[in-house]
Amino acid sequence: MAHAQEIQLQIRGVPDEESVHEDGRDGSKAATRRSTTRGSFRWWMTVAVDMLMVLCGTTVATLLGRLYYNSGGNSKWMATLTQSGGSPLLVIPLLMTPAPSAEEHRPAASKLWPIYAGIGVLIGFDNLMYSYALQYLPVSTFSLVAATQLAFNAITSRLINAQRFTALIANSVMVLTFSAALLGVGSSSDGTSSTSGAPRGKYPVGFALVLAASAAFALIMSLFEATFEKVIRARTLRWVLSMQMYTNLVASAVSVAGLLASGDWRTIPAEMAAFRDGRARYVLTLAGTAVAWQAAAVGMVRLIARVSSLFANVTATLALPLVPVFAVALFGDRMTGIKVVAMLMAVWGFLSYVYQHYVDGRRARSDELLPA
């Protein structure tokens, strides 16, 4: 996705990804130059909307997930279900999308369903690890450690998606990894393990779980990109919604199976009755979390389809300065000096990648001006 030719298409202003297919990447330069400045503006505006969905959805979902635990919720499987359980809502926008054209590539169902099932199972267990980690860590620490998913994604993008690994991207990987390590080293002295109701002594477990979940999430994103690139070979909104909905339905089935097998379902009535501010707040908290996660996930998948999994993951790191600030205000988390330094390092890593994207864009523009 980060190859120079595709970057050229994006910067020159392909009117929308709805019309960009795999078999159209090798079009003539003359056809490409016919794209207008308005088309380019439209493309960047849609990317900006996707980024906003990721930022708002991730921030709201993380804060509501923490609110669920702080208000008396304790079912990890229920918290896991909220991360994928809102997927049936995607039927509504899916029915409103235009029907596929006759020329659009349509992969066989025998290829797609194993992909949906495999990625869906990975998503289900990845959500479970995040649920445990969110209970064991303060939300500010959780969000900052989760930044390592960008470092992991740089590796999986290189191995699976042939992403170029430049010095700037390597710098981003090292800075973000060191940022997470700094939080781990300073956890014993900053008092975060007992802040905001996080269980004492569970900080190391939560730290390990969020690292494992971040690595799994990076793998999932690269698999999404590979599916769009090699199997679907189309980047329409219909395919984005279909990928998101079917994989999350499988993940929801995993969560429901775990909820039933673990016996957590028996505790839900008592948990609802004991929830702070009543049953209605319990239902609204879970429903809001489910909707927010789906909004963030759709934005992520759209960015994967439009640009790359690494770009989508970089966008997710933009939520890092937002979540800890809201967590301090809402949950009383301590914004210690170590967290501030780690957050600044995470921003540094993010800017390093953004600059690499800017360099690639300048290079693509220069290639466009070269004679055929």
Side-chain angles (χ1 to χ4, degrees):
M1 301 283 289
H3 299 305
Q5 187 175 13
E6 187 163 350
I7 295 173
Q8 290 176 29
L9 290 176
Q10 295 164 359
I11 294 176
R12 293 171 193 169
V14 177
D16 199 4
E17 93 284 2
E18 271 67 6
S19 62
V20 181
H21 304 290
E22 183 76 15
D23 54 4
R25 290 183 180 176
D26 297 323
S28 66
K29 287 188 176 182
T32 304
R33 286 175 180 143
R34 283 196 296 267
S35 58
T36 63
T37 303
R38 181 182 177 184
S40 179
F41 178 76
R42 265 181 56 189
W43 188 89
W44 284 112
M45 285 299 296
T46 54
V47 168
V49 170
D50 294 338
M51 293 174 68
L52 187 62
M53 288 175 64
V54 173
L55 293 174
C56 295
T58 301
T59 301
V60 172
T62 303
L63 293 172
L64 286 178
R66 185 68 222 173
L67 179 64
Y68 167 76
Y69 287 126
N70 282 5
S71 300
N74 193 47
S75 173
K76 284 82 171 178
W77 283 109
M78 179 59 72
T80 301
L81 180 59
T82 60
Q83 297 179 55
S84 57
S87 53
L89 296 174
L90 298 180
V91 171
I92 299 173
L94 187 60
L95 292 176
M96 297 173 63
T97 56
S101 62
E103 295 81 13
E104 183 176 308
H105 178 263
R106 300 182 186 182
S110 58
K111 289 184 177 180
L112 284 177
W113 285 111
I115 293 174
Y116 291 154
I119 295 179
V121 170
L122 281 175
I123 292 174
F125 284 101
D126 184 58
N127 290 345
L128 180 63
M129 288 189 287
Y130 273 127
S131 296
Y132 270 94
L134 190 57
Q135 186 184 31
Y136 294 159
L137 294 176
V139 68
S140 55
T141 304
F142 170 87
S143 62
L144 288 170
V145 178
T148 55
Q149 69 188 33
L150 178 58
F152 288 119
N153 197 197
I155 298 172
T156 58
S157 293
R158 174 59 180 169
L159 297 177
I160 298 175
N161 310 121
Q163 171 76 39
R164 286 194 310 117
F165 205 85
T166 65
L168 287 171
I169 293 178
N171 175 70
S172 177
V173 169
M174 289 187 293
V175 169
L176 287 167
T177 302
F178 187 72
S179 172
L182 181 63
L183 285 172
V185 171
S187 63
S188 60
S189 59
D190 66 7
T192 53
S193 60
S194 59
T195 304
S196 301
R200 187 179 297 275
K202 292 292 188 179
Y203 192 100
V205 176
F207 190 84
L209 282 174
V210 73
L211 281 177
S214 297
F217 184 71
L219 175 62
I220 290 167
M221 294 186 71
S222 289
L223 291 176
F224 266 115
E225 182 178 349
T227 301
F228 279 111
E229 185 83 14
K230 300 177 181 179
V231 179
I232 296 177
R233 291 190 288 169
R235 289 157 179 78
T236 64
L237 178 60
R238 172 176 288 272
W239 277 115
V240 168
L241 293 173
S242 296
M243 277 288 293
Q244 174 65 17
M245 185 177 70
Y246 289 126
T247 55
N248 273 249
L249 285 174
V250 174
S252 298
V254 171
S255 301
V256 171
L259 185 67
L260 297 176
S262 65
D264 273 11
W265 63 275
R266 296 188 183 91
T267 67
I268 292 176
E271 181 178 283
M272 185 182 299
F275 197 76
R276 187 185 304 167
D277 297 327
R279 298 172 182 267
R281 181 66 62 87
Y282 180 87
V283 174
L284 289 175
T285 299
L286 293 180
T289 306
V291 172
W293 276 127
Q294 286 306 304
V298 169
M300 290 284 282
V301 177
R302 280 165 62 92
L303 286 175
I304 291 171
R306 294 176 194 273
V307 192
S308 71
S309 63
L310 194 56
F311 184 87
N313 224 331
V314 165
T315 301
T317 64
L318 279 172
L320 293 178
L322 301 179
V323 176
V325 171
F326 283 106
V328 169
L330 297 176
F331 303 128
D333 282 13
R334 292 177 56 193
M335 184 54 72
T336 64
I338 288 179
K339 288 182 181 179
V340 171
V341 172
M343 184 166 59
L344 291 175
M345 292 178 67
V347 173
W348 175 14
F350 162 73
L351 292 177
S352 179
Y353 179 80
V354 169
Y355 183 70
Q356 178 63 63
H357 194 71
Y358 169 76
V359 170
D360 288 342
R362 289 289 298 269
R363 185 181 297 114
R365 288 174 183 264
S366 298
D367 291 344
E368 181 184 359
L369 296 177
L370 293 175

